[in-house]
Amino acid sequence: MSGDNETTVTPLIADRSSIPLSGSLAADVAAAEAAITRFDERTGANLAGFSVIALRTEAAMSSQIENLTAAASSIAVAEHAPPSNDPHKSNAELIASNVATLLAALSRNSPLDTVEVIELQ
């Protein structure tokens, strides 16, 4: 690649107590918050199984970065299969391993440090 390019430095917002929004954007954010609250009140308790689907979907999507793709049903089967010692694992097995790694990371009660990330991998 050659030629001119532009860069952006993303503002640090984590420590801000509030972020000023324009009138229309503030209204849209408030409407979205209200809709999410209503959704949680109606169906939140029924979505316990959804977290597994969301996690599997995230693992499959992020695995595409590594050129790994597999059907959701194949990933689900691989998640419940006994561990394989085959050095040439299927994409579904590799993605299932990514799901297991994400579950292990999420089960921690504290932020991950470098050593824990290496252990998970």
Side-chain angles (χ1 to χ4, degrees):
M1 229 175 160
S2 63
D4 295 335
N5 62 60
E6 293 183 32
T7 59
T8 299
V9 177
T10 305
L12 300 176
I13 62 171
D15 294 330
R16 291 188 184 176
S17 60
S18 66
I19 299 170
L21 302 175
S22 69
S24 62
L25 181 57
D28 289 346
V29 168
E33 288 173 342
I36 290 169
T37 299
R38 285 191 308 276
F39 177 80
D40 285 347
E41 288 169 352
R42 285 193 313 256
T43 59
N46 298 325
L47 292 178
F50 181 73
S51 62
V52 173
I53 295 168
L55 185 60
R56 189 178 295 135
T57 301
E58 193 286 326
M61 295 297 105
S62 63
S63 294
Q64 285 183 355
I65 295 169
E66 302 169 40
N67 291 323
L68 300 176
T69 57
S73 58
S74 298
I75 297 167
V77 169
E79 286 177 342
H80 298 286
S84 169
N85 291 327
D86 183 356
H88 305 289
K89 293 184 180 196
S90 70
N91 284 356
E93 290 173 301
L94 293 170
I95 294 169
S97 293
N98 289 346
V99 171
T101 300
L102 286 170
L103 284 170
L106 291 172
S107 70
R108 305 282 182 151
N109 291 329
S110 60
L112 294 170
D113 62 23
T114 304
V115 172
E116 291 172 319
V117 170
I118 292 169
E119 286 173 3
L120 286 170
Q121 292 299 318

